[in-house]
Amino acid sequence: MEVEYELTLDDLYAFQWRAVFASPLGRRSTRKVYILWFLALLLFAILPAIGPDGFVISRVNFTFLIIAFPIVIVVQRYLERWLMRRALLRLLQQEKPGRGLLGRHRVVLTESGVVESTAVGESRTLWVGVDRIEQDPQYIFIYTTPAAAHVIPKRAFRAVQEAEAFYQLSKSSKEAAI
């Protein structure tokens, strides 16, 4: 089975955004940041309770935590996404059409693996070399390493059923190779 498509800056942006915010590693990193913020704010809420009279916790301390934590998380989330968007756009501005990443791609699923052809080259990956296969509503991702993938837009298929058949064939071929 094969598919031909044009890979655009929007497609690369969507892949990078997904890697940062939707991947298991990205979600785990975000969770760690939120936990660290919570622990830091908890420390600021508890420190005033330590004094000459011993350890006296007031409602003010925990009210601070209950109010400050959501505010800090909203600011953190907004800032993180704003900075990441800027960094991705700056990175993608360096990409040139027709040099292999942007432009025309042809992906063929064979018995032995995945073959991708562009204007400047061709790559072959055996099914045992494929790391994983994932999809979202707009794309199919065939990961050749944990951080690199063939990004296949579903708009390249004539029908949703074709995209689903492509995805299922790639999944079953990968599983058969294991």
Side-chain angles (χ1 to χ4, degrees):
M1 184 173 229
E2 75 178 65
V3 62
E4 284 193 41
Y5 56 93
E6 188 83 19
L7 202 60
T8 66
L9 282 173
D10 291 338
D11 299 327
L12 292 180
Y13 181 86
F15 172 66
Q16 296 297 333
W17 188 265
R18 182 177 194 278
V20 173
F21 293 110
S23 70
L25 180 62
R27 286 193 306 265
R28 206 169 26 251
S29 297
T30 301
R31 240 187 334 264
K32 283 180 185 177
V33 168
Y34 292 162
I35 290 169
L36 288 174
W37 272 117
F38 180 78
L39 292 174
L41 291 171
L42 182 63
L43 183 65
F44 281 121
I46 290 177
L47 273 180
I50 302 171
D53 299 334
F55 189 73
V56 180
I57 298 176
S58 73
R59 289 185 182 159
V60 173
N61 299 30
F62 286 104
T63 304
F64 165 76
L65 181 65
I66 291 169
I67 292 171
F69 182 66
I71 292 170
V72 167
I73 294 305
V74 167
V75 170
Q76 163 74 29
R77 188 173 174 90
Y78 173 76
L79 199 60
E80 178 183 46
R81 288 174 182 268
W82 180 70
L83 290 172
M84 188 55 63
R85 187 174 291 115
R86 284 186 49 181
L88 288 176
L89 290 174
R90 201 170 334 138
L91 180 70
L92 291 175
Q93 284 176 345
Q94 298 171 5
E95 290 297 328
K96 304 290 184 235
R99 298 244 175 112
L101 206 48
L102 292 177
R104 202 91 190 122
H105 288 252
R106 180 173 171 250
V107 173
V108 180
L109 303 179
T110 66
E111 290 276 325
S112 59
V114 181
V115 180
E116 181 187 43
S117 305
T118 67
V120 296
E122 182 175 288
S123 71
R124 295 178 187 276
T125 306
L126 298 177
W127 286 117
V128 293
V130 171
D131 186 63
R132 66 188 186 279
I133 300 163
E134 297 177 353
Q135 71 174 339
D136 68 15
Q138 285 107 13
Y139 299 97
I140 296 172
F141 304 98
I142 300 176
Y143 284 85
T144 54
T145 70
H150 299 295
V151 180
I152 304 162
K154 290 185 177 179
R155 68 176 182 274
F157 299 96
R158 287 185 287 258
V160 175
Q161 293 81 7
E162 257 185 62
E164 189 58 32
F166 187 90
Y167 175 72
Q168 291 303 328
L169 177 61
S170 60
K171 288 286 279 187
S172 61
S173 297
K174 165 71 177 143
E175 289 169 5
I178 295 176

